[in-house]
Amino acid sequence: MDQQTELAKVKGRIRALAARTVERGCSEAEALAAAAKVGELLEVYGLSMSEVALREEDCIQHRVTVPGPQRLALRWLYPALLRFTDCRGWTDGRADFVLYGLEPDVQMAEYLLRVAEAALAYEEARYRATADYLRSRATPQTRLRSFRYGFADRLGKRLEEMTATRAAAAEARREAAPASQASASTALVLAKEKKVEEGFRGLGVRLRTVYSTATVRDRGAYGRGQAAGGRVGLERPVGAGPGARALPRK
């Protein structure tokens, strides 16, 4: 079996597993197992990528809808998530996150968005049951908004740290490799960046930067949110045990 056939089979399995969600009739355990397998297969795909495969790989545009209140926090950490997954992206309306990039990168970005969405919903429910939440004199809206800002701030910084660590590791590998291999590795990175940038320009999408500020009115809730953001399992696929493989560091 040649590399292209093998990669096509891996991508097909990723798409099939990514579609196994609770909303589509799977049990929660089945959906979590599928998400864990997606993480493993994306790692295999990333390690198998070559310049030949890159030239034949298509960029895709994909829309992820987050209708719940968690979307506010996801908007704050979205730029860090895009940098970590090597994607371009933007928000459209109140609930839609649009991703653009190579298919495996887009799949990983959606995977991490869903991990963050589910983790925030879980941590928020835990926070609502704490004595700190019940004792606070702030309004429920103020408490929860501050909690979400803290969650997004911590999780976004963790993604930035992981991006920097990955870049440093890649640079160390290039310095340790023979000159020919280091040159090929650099060429692959540049070719990928060029492919995504040219594809994005071809969409004809004109983006505008929107600046906003977050006003934290409940420092205790913000700190609780930061602690919750530090607990999100980015180091292994969601639902996996301690012995599971880490998420891909592409």
Side-chain angles (χ1 to χ4, degrees):
M1 182 185 299
D2 61 25
Q3 186 189 50
Q4 291 304 104
T5 302
E6 181 181 356
L7 291 179
K9 289 186 67 176
V10 171
K11 287 169 61 181
R13 290 193 65 194
I14 290 172
R15 282 191 290 269
L17 286 164
R20 301 193 66 184
T21 63
V22 174
E23 291 79 6
R24 294 183 179 180
C26 292
S27 69
E28 184 176 359
E30 288 173 333
L32 289 174
K37 193 62 179 177
V38 166
E40 294 179 10
L41 289 174
L42 284 168
E43 183 173 4
V44 170
Y45 185 89
L47 292 174
S48 300
M49 180 68 78
S50 68
E51 192 165 0
V52 173
L54 176 62
R55 286 198 297 269
E56 298 182 4
E57 183 71 46
D58 291 327
C59 288
I60 66 170
Q61 181 178 322
H62 182 61
R63 185 176 296 265
V64 180
T65 300
V66 182
Q70 288 76 28
R71 66 179 180 271
L72 176 64
L74 297 189
R75 280 174 176 264
W76 281 95
L77 61 85
Y78 194 42
L81 185 146
L82 293 174
R83 285 187 285 272
F84 179 68
T85 57
D86 296 326
C87 288
R88 299 295 298 270
W90 61 96
T91 56
D92 185 16
R94 291 177 58 84
D96 285 0
F97 296 80
V98 186
L99 298 160
Y100 182 82
L102 297 182
E103 185 176 4
D105 295 335
V106 169
Q107 288 173 324
M108 175 53 71
E110 180 181 14
Y111 171 73
L112 289 174
L113 273 172
R114 294 305 187 192
V115 168
E117 178 189 13
L120 178 53
Y122 171 76
E123 292 288 355
E124 194 173 296
R126 290 183 63 194
Y127 172 59
R128 286 172 182 261
T130 64
D132 285 351
Y133 178 85
L134 298 174
R135 282 198 306 263
S136 175
R137 295 182 179 181
T139 65
Q141 183 180 30
T142 295
R143 279 172 272 172
L144 294 176
R145 183 174 295 169
S146 296
F147 181 88
R148 291 165 190 156
Y149 283 148
F151 179 94
D153 178 66
R154 181 68 187 105
L155 189 54
K157 286 178 179 176
R158 288 180 62 200
L159 287 167
E160 295 285 16
E161 291 165 2
M162 291 167 68
T163 301
T165 299
R166 182 186 63 195
E171 180 61 28
R173 287 194 299 270
R174 282 193 291 269
E175 291 179 355
S180 59
Q181 291 183 18
S183 178
S185 176
T186 301
L188 183 61
V189 171
L190 295 176
K192 178 180 178 180
E193 291 176 352
K194 181 180 179 182
K195 185 179 184 73
V196 173
E197 184 59 33
E198 289 180 347
F200 180 75
R201 285 203 301 268
L203 296 177
V205 176
R206 301 187 66 177
L207 302 179
R208 62 187 179 90
T209 302
V210 177
Y211 297 96
S212 59
T213 58
T215 302
V216 177
R217 301 186 184 280
D218 188 326
R219 300 302 303 183
Y222 182 84
R224 286 275 191 166
Q226 284 188 311
R231 290 193 291 267
V232 180
L234 295 177
E235 297 301 321
R236 59 177 182 270
V238 65
R245 298 166 70 187
L247 285 176
R249 294 179 179 272
K250 304 187 327 351

